[in-house]
Amino acid sequence: MADVTWDEIRSLRADFLNLQLTETTNKLSERNCVELIGLLVKEGLLNVIYTTDGKDIITEQRLIREILDEIYANDGRINIVDLAQHLKIDLSYIESKVGDVCKEDPTLQFILGQFISAEYTNRLVEEINDMLIERGLIPFSELIRQFDLPTEYLNTILTNRILSSSIHNIKFESGTLYTENYVRLQQNILIGYLQAAFLPVRINEINKNTRVNENLIQNLIINLIRDNRINGNLIGTTKENAIFYPKLYIDAQAKYIESFFSQNGYIEYTLVRNLGVNDPEGQTKLVLKDRNQILFLISGCIDKLKFLPQLEMNIEHGLVSNEYIDITTLMPNSFNENDIEKLFKTEISIKELITSLGGEFLSNTFIIGKELQEKIDKKLNEICQECVEKESTQCTPQMYAAVLQGNITLATPSLAKGATGKKPNVSTGKRKGASKVVEETNPNQETISFISKDEIKTQIRTINDELPDEILDLLTDNLHSIKSRQYLDLFIQRVKESFISKENETTNDTTRKNEMKNIQETLKQLHGNICIFLHSIEQLITENEMNLADTLQRHLIRSLCTDMCDIIIRELDTSASAKTGQLSIEERNKIIQKMSESSRNHLSKVNESLNGKNIEITLTRLEDATSELLQLILKRPNKKTEKDLILDIREKLKAKLTDEQDPAMILHLTVTLLFYAVYNGRLIHAPGKSVPTLIKFLSKNLPNNINQRLHEMQDFVIQQSTTGTENTQLSNEKIQFIKKLGLSAKENMSFTSFENETS
C-alpha cells in the first residue's frame, strides 16, 4: 500500500465514477423484482409494507418518516384515517406505528385518533388568547365546535396553558371563558341597573334589559351583594325563578309587617304573601325575632300579651250571653281549625277558662254552653227512658237469653222500627272498612231499635232552632253514639231486672232446667255446625288448598268455637253474663282464673286454642270441657245426622237468599251455596273477605259465563264498598241471575241450564 501514489487513487476514483454512470445493458424484469423481494421477505431479511393499491412497497422506517412528514405538512394535526388515505397504507399498519411515531418525535400527542404536535398546541393557545382579548367572553362549547377537538384535551389546554399562565386574569366558570375586564364591565352595568331599582325585579328581566351574560348574571349579583356594592337580596335558585329584592323594598315590607302586628296583635301569612314575600312565615319570624310572647301558628302568628286577653274576654262573654260560640268568628279570617287546635294545646289557660264556664268543645270549632248541654241531655234522657220502657215490655225469653249471652245489639239505621227480637239468619253481612266486602255477624244475635239521628236532630231543634246546621250535625253524631250506648245499657239492666222478678215467682229448679236445656241445645247445634264445616276444610286440605283452608279454620274458631266457649264460661260464672258480645281473651282469662282448678285447667286450654288456627284441636278441647264441666257429651254427627244438618243449613241459606236485597250478601250466600253444589254437598262457614278467593277457587269447576257473572258481581260489590256510592250500576237481571244460581244449587248440580243465558 505504501507504493500506491495519489495519482493512482484519483485514477481509480474516476474509473469507479464512470462505471456508476454507465447504463447497464442487462435489467431485471418486474416479475424478477417481485420474486426477489418476496424471497427476501420470506427469509426474514427484509420487512416491507404494501400500499392499498398493491403497486408500491415501503419499509417500516420509511413509513414512520412519511407519517411525520404528513403531520408537519398538515400544520401539526392530522387524523389517522386521513393519514391512511394520503399514504395509501392500510389503517391497521398506521395504528400499529402510533407508538413508534411518538417515540420518534416526543412532542407529538396521539389523542382520540389524531396526531397533534406541540407547534399546533402553541398556535391553538395563541389563537384562543387573541379571541378572548378581542371578545372578552367565549363559551367552551364554541371552542369545541370551532376547533373540533376532544373535550378532555381542550379542557387540559385551558387549565394548563391558558388559565394558569394568562396575564389577562382569564377565568373559566359555568362552561364559559371570560376576562377580568369583561366581568368588570358586566358588574358596572348591573350596579347601575340594580341601584336604581326600588321594586323587585326578575333575573330574566335584568338580562333582557341590560344584555348582561345570562350565565354570569346570577353569580355576579350574589358577589355584588356579598361585597356590599348593591343593597338587597336575591331569592331563588335558578335564573328562571330568581328575583332581586332591593333593600328599600325589603325594609318597607318589614316596616309594614311590624306596624300591622303592633296595631292588631296578630298577622296572617296570606297578608304577608300579598306583599310579594315568597316565604311569608320565614320573613315574619325574621322581622319579629326581637319580640317576646309571640305564638307562631300555621296560618299566622299572634301576640299573646295583646291578642289572647281579648280572645278570652270574647269567649267568656259569648258563653255567658249565648248558648254556643263559633270560635272561627273570634279569630282572623285565614286562621283555620289547625291553628285553633294548636292555640288551645299551647295556651292551657283558654281551655281552663272554657271548662270553668261549663263549655264543651265540638271539633275545635264550636263551644257549647253548659245550659244548652243540660237542656239537650235532659231531653234525650227522657227519650231513652221512654224507649226502654216501651221495648222492655215487649221483651221475649229469646231476647232475655241474648241479653244473658251478650248477644244483644242495636239495630242498624237501615232496619225499621219494630225489628226488636228478630234474629238475622245464618250470615247477615255488615260493611266495615274499604277493603272488606262482607263481615259475618253472630247468628244468635238479637237487635233492638233506637231513635235515629234525624229524630235526635229534630229534638235538638225544638230546644234551640237557631243552631247552625254544622253544629247540629256535630251534636247529633256525638249524642247519637253516647245515648245509643246509654240506652243499650239501660235496656239490658231493665230486662234483667224484669226477668229476675219473674223468675223469682217460679221455682228455681224448673228455671234452671229450662236454661240448661236451652244451653245444651245451643251447644249441640253449634257443635254440629262446626263438624259440618270442619269436613269441608278437611276436603280443601286434601286438595292442597292450604291458604283457603287456614282462612276458614281461623274464622270458624273466632266465631262458632268462641261462641261455644263463651256459653260454657257464662254458665259456670254468672258475672260473665253482664258482659255483652263476645268475650276477649283477656276477659276470659280473668274470669277463668277465679274458677276452680278443674274448670280452670279445661277452659284455659280452650281459651288458648281460640287464638290459634287448628280447628281440630279447638273442637276437641271444647268437647272435653263440655263433657267434664257441664256433663254434656257432644257426639260428632253420623252420616244420616250430618246429611240432615246440611240440608237444614242449606234451606236456611236459601231462605235468607230469597229475601236478601243487598248485592254483597247475595254474592256471599250464592258462593256458599255454589260450594255446596260443586263439592259433593259440603258447606263452608266463610268470612266476607274470603268471597273473592272462593270465586277464584270455584271457577275451575264452573262454566265461563257463570264465572263472568260472578266476577262482574264481585267487582260491583267491591266498588260499592270502597267508594260508598254506586258509580257504576249492575243490571237487576245480572243480580237476579246470581240469586237464581244460588237458589238452584244442589248436590252434583249440572249448570247446563245456565250456560245459554246471556247478559
Side-chain angles (χ1 to χ4, degrees):
M1 293 295 295
D3 296 333
V4 178
T5 64
W6 181 250
D7 292 334
E8 291 176 346
I9 293 174
R10 282 188 295 183
S11 175
L12 183 62
R13 177 186 175 195
D15 294 339
F16 184 70
L17 180 61
N18 291 330
L19 182 63
Q20 286 181 322
L21 294 175
T22 301
E23 293 185 0
T24 180
T25 56
N26 297 320
K27 294 184 178 180
L28 292 175
S29 65
E30 183 177 347
R31 179 176 179 182
N32 292 335
C33 290
V34 171
E35 290 179 355
L36 181 60
I37 291 172
L39 180 62
L40 293 174
V41 171
K42 183 177 180 181
E43 293 295 331
L45 300 175
L46 182 65
N47 290 326
V48 296
I49 299 172
Y50 289 90
T51 59
T52 53
D53 57 8
K55 295 181 179 180
D56 299 311
I57 59 175
I58 187 172
T59 64
E60 293 183 354
Q61 289 299 323
R62 183 64 184 177
L63 175 61
I64 293 174
R65 175 50 53 191
E66 292 287 341
I67 291 173
L68 291 172
D69 291 343
E70 286 293 330
I71 292 172
Y72 297 131
N74 285 273
D75 296 328
R77 176 186 173 188
I78 190 170
N79 190 294
I80 61 172
V81 176
D82 298 333
L83 186 61
Q85 292 176 353
H86 292 168
L87 298 178
K88 296 182 180 180
I89 299 297
D90 188 83
L91 182 61
S92 61
Y93 290 115
I94 303 293
E95 290 176 341
S96 66
K97 296 302 176 184
V98 167
D100 296 334
V101 173
C102 291
K103 281 183 180 180
E104 187 73 19
D105 187 351
T107 64
L108 285 176
Q109 297 182 66
F110 184 74
I111 301 171
L112 295 178
Q114 299 182 71
F115 285 106
I116 298 177
S117 69
E119 288 79 3
Y120 177 83
T121 303
N122 294 334
R123 288 196 303 274
L124 176 66
V125 171
E126 291 176 2
E127 186 173 351
I128 293 175
N129 273 322
D130 293 341
M131 291 172 62
L132 278 170
I133 294 171
E134 179 182 352
R135 296 166 53 181
L137 176 142
I138 303 175
F140 186 65
S141 57
E142 182 179 335
L143 295 178
I144 296 174
R145 184 172 57 254
Q146 178 175 345
F147 295 106
D148 190 24
L149 285 169
T151 303
E152 293 183 1
Y153 171 74
L154 191 56
N155 191 39
T156 303
I157 295 298
L158 293 177
T159 303
N160 298 334
R161 298 290 301 276
I162 298 178
L163 299 179
S164 63
S165 61
S166 176
I167 61 173
H168 299 285
N169 291 327
I170 298 173
K171 296 182 179 180
F172 180 47
E173 292 181 4
S174 303
T176 306
L177 282 165
Y178 50 87
T179 63
E180 186 176 6
N181 291 334
Y182 179 83
V183 173
R184 190 178 298 112
L185 175 63
Q186 302 286 295
Q187 285 180 338
N188 292 335
I189 294 173
L190 285 174
I191 290 172
Y193 186 89
L194 296 179
Q195 282 183 343
F198 58 90
L199 289 176
V201 57
R202 292 186 174 274
I203 295 297
N204 289 340
E205 185 178 346
I206 298 173
N207 184 42
K208 179 180 177 182
N209 294 334
T210 64
R211 299 190 180 277
V212 175
N213 184 269
E214 61 180 359
N215 294 322
L216 299 177
I217 186 168
Q218 196 163 352
N219 288 335
L220 289 177
I221 294 176
I222 292 173
N223 294 334
L224 290 173
I225 293 173
R226 182 191 60 202
D227 298 338
N228 293 324
R229 301 184 67 182
I230 56 174
N231 296 322
N233 289 330
L234 184 65
I235 307 299
T237 56
T238 63
K239 60 186 178 184
E240 288 77 14
N241 63 11
I243 302 175
F244 175 77
Y245 290 87
K247 189 174 185 302
L248 289 174
Y249 183 79
I250 295 173
D251 292 343
Q253 286 179 332
K255 186 176 180 180
Y256 181 87
I257 293 171
E258 188 167 3
S259 176
F260 187 94
F261 186 80
S262 299
Q263 292 178 12
N264 299 280
Y266 73 90
I267 191 166
E268 306 165 56
Y269 295 147
T270 54
L271 177 62
V272 179
R273 188 182 296 278
N274 291 337
L275 297 176
V277 178
N278 289 334
D279 182 15
E281 183 176 359
Q283 183 68 8
T284 303
K285 290 180 179 180
L286 179 65
V287 173
L288 302 177
K289 64 181 179 180
D290 296 330
R291 288 178 175 264
N292 298 322
Q293 300 297 320
I294 296 179
L295 178 61
F296 291 96
L297 302 174
I298 298 171
S299 303
C301 63
I302 62 173
D303 185 348
K304 293 194 286 187
L305 297 179
K306 186 172 184 178
F307 184 82
L308 288 185
Q310 182 69 29
L311 178 63
E312 292 176 355
M313 185 179 67
N314 291 335
I315 291 175
E316 184 175 0
H317 176 73
L319 286 177
V320 172
S321 58
N322 300 307
E323 292 185 330
Y324 70 92
I325 298 175
D326 185 352
I327 303 176
T328 57
T329 61
L330 307 180
M331 300 290 289
N333 292 333
S334 66
F335 282 35
N336 54 35
E337 290 187 24
N338 294 327
D339 295 306
I340 298 172
E341 182 180 5
K342 184 177 180 180
L343 174 63
F344 288 165
K345 284 182 178 179
T346 305
E347 300 301 318
I348 304 176
S349 59
I350 302 179
K351 276 192 172 183
E352 293 176 348
L353 172 65
I354 296 171
T355 304
S356 64
L357 295 173
E360 181 180 352
F361 284 102
L362 279 180
S363 184
N364 291 325
T365 307
F366 301 101
I367 303 175
I368 304 299
K370 183 178 180 181
E371 185 178 353
L372 179 59
Q373 295 178 49
E374 291 175 348
K375 290 179 182 178
I376 296 174
D377 192 59
K378 181 180 178 181
K379 183 71 174 178
L380 294 181
N381 284 342
E382 292 174 357
I383 294 174
C384 282
Q385 290 290 345
E386 292 175 2
C387 291
V388 167
E389 293 296 335
K390 179 181 177 182
E391 296 291 340
S392 62
T393 57
Q394 304 175 8
C395 185
T396 63
Q398 290 81 5
M399 178 69 70
Y400 177 58
V403 169
L404 291 178
Q405 296 173 11
N407 291 332
I408 186 74
T409 186
L410 290 175
T412 58
S414 61
L415 294 177
K417 278 192 171 183
T420 304
K422 293 188 177 180
K423 288 185 181 180
N425 285 335
V426 173
S427 55
T428 59
K430 68 176 181 179
R431 305 193 181 282
K432 184 179 181 183
S435 62
K436 294 185 179 180
V437 180
V438 177
E439 185 175 326
E440 244 359 78
T441 59
N442 193 329
N444 299 317
Q445 200 170 63
E446 298 287 344
T447 59
I448 58 173
S449 60
F450 186 55
I451 60 174
S452 65
K453 289 184 178 181
D454 291 337
E455 292 174 339
I456 290 179
K457 186 181 293 186
T458 302
Q459 294 298 329
I460 297 175
R461 282 193 183 277
T462 61
I463 298 172
N464 188 332
D465 59 355
E466 296 181 356
L467 287 174
D469 290 339
E470 189 175 356
I471 296 183
L472 270 176
D473 293 337
L474 292 171
L475 275 173
T476 301
D477 291 339
N478 290 344
L479 291 173
H480 186 270
S481 176
I482 296 171
K483 294 303 176 182
S484 296
R485 293 193 299 268
Q486 181 180 335
Y487 166 71
L488 183 60
D489 294 338
L490 285 173
F491 178 81
I492 292 172
Q493 181 182 354
R494 183 60 56 86
V495 168
K496 287 182 178 180
E497 292 174 354
S498 175
F499 272 84
I500 287 174
S501 62
K502 291 180 181 179
E503 287 173 353
N504 291 335
E505 296 175 0
T506 60
T507 62
N508 292 332
D509 292 340
T510 304
T511 303
R512 181 60 184 164
K513 288 179 181 179
N514 291 334
E515 289 178 358
M516 191 62 189
K517 184 177 179 181
N518 290 335
I519 291 172
Q520 290 177 351
E521 290 298 322
T522 303
L523 289 173
K524 288 180 179 178
Q525 183 179 5
L526 288 172
H527 178 263
N529 289 347
I530 293 171
C531 293
I532 295 299
F533 301 139
L534 175 59
H535 289 168
S536 299
I537 293 173
E538 292 172 349
Q539 178 70 23
L540 291 173
I541 294 174
T542 302
E543 295 184 15
N544 202 26
E545 295 290 339
M546 302 307 297
N547 290 336
L548 181 57
D550 288 343
T551 300
L552 297 180
Q553 285 193 83
R554 283 193 296 270
H555 181 64
L556 191 57
I557 291 172
R558 283 154 180 74
S559 55
L560 303 188
C561 293
T562 301
D563 290 342
M564 281 189 69
C565 180
D566 288 350
I567 292 173
I568 297 172
I569 291 175
R570 286 188 170 99
E571 177 62 18
L572 297 176
D573 190 339
T574 56
S575 64
S577 302
K579 300 182 182 297
T580 60
Q582 283 188 351
L583 300 174
S584 66
I585 293 179
E586 292 76 15
E587 289 175 335
R588 293 192 203 97
N589 280 329
K590 290 180 180 179
I591 297 171
I592 291 170
Q593 294 306 316
K594 300 176 183 178
M595 295 182 180
S596 63
E597 182 177 356
S598 176
S599 300
R600 186 166 60 248
N601 291 338
H602 284 91
L603 292 177
S604 294
K605 293 179 181 179
V606 174
N607 193 33
E608 179 184 0
S609 66
L610 293 178
N611 200 33
K613 59 180 181 179
N614 191 317
I615 183 63
E616 184 62 38
I617 294 175
T618 304
L619 184 59
T620 302
R621 292 182 179 179
L622 281 170
E623 291 170 345
D624 294 340
T626 306
S627 176
E628 293 295 330
L629 304 180
L630 300 182
Q631 286 72 49
L632 175 63
I633 299 175
L634 297 175
K635 295 182 179 180
R636 302 199 180 188
N638 54 30
K639 290 186 178 180
K640 183 179 182 306
T641 306
E642 180 178 334
K643 186 174 182 179
D644 293 337
L645 287 172
I646 291 174
L647 292 176
D648 181 63
I649 296 174
R650 186 191 69 173
E651 293 304 314
K652 288 180 179 178
L653 290 172
K654 287 186 175 181
K656 171 61 180 175
L657 181 58
T658 301
D659 300 329
E660 187 59 58
Q661 299 298 323
D662 182 27
M665 279 306 306
I666 291 175
L667 180 62
H668 190 177
L669 295 169
T670 299
V671 170
T672 303
L673 289 166
L674 282 176
F675 189 96
Y676 168 86
V678 172
Y679 282 88
N680 301 323
R682 296 192 181 279
L683 284 168
I684 56 172
H685 183 61
K689 65 181 181 181
S690 64
V691 169
T693 305
L694 286 169
I695 292 175
K696 182 179 180 182
F697 174 70
L698 294 172
S699 62
K700 57 188 177 182
N701 296 309
L702 297 175
N704 290 335
N705 69 318
I706 293 180
N707 283 326
Q708 181 182 355
R709 293 290 182 89
L710 289 173
H711 281 92
E712 290 176 354
M713 188 77 163
Q714 174 188 324
D715 293 341
F716 172 72
V717 170
I718 291 175
Q719 184 176 13
Q720 189 182 37
S721 66
T722 53
T723 61
T725 57
E726 296 182 3
N727 294 331
T728 59
Q729 297 292 331
L730 193 67
S731 66
N732 185 60
E733 178 186 333
K734 293 183 179 180
I735 296 176
Q736 293 303 320
F737 176 91
I738 298 298
K739 181 181 284 191
K740 179 182 176 183
L741 183 63
L743 293 174
S744 303
K746 59 183 178 179
E747 193 171 350
N748 298 322
M749 176 182 176
S750 173
F751 297 94
T752 306
S753 60
F754 292 90
E755 290 181 353
N756 297 325
E757 294 193 22
T758 59
S759 58

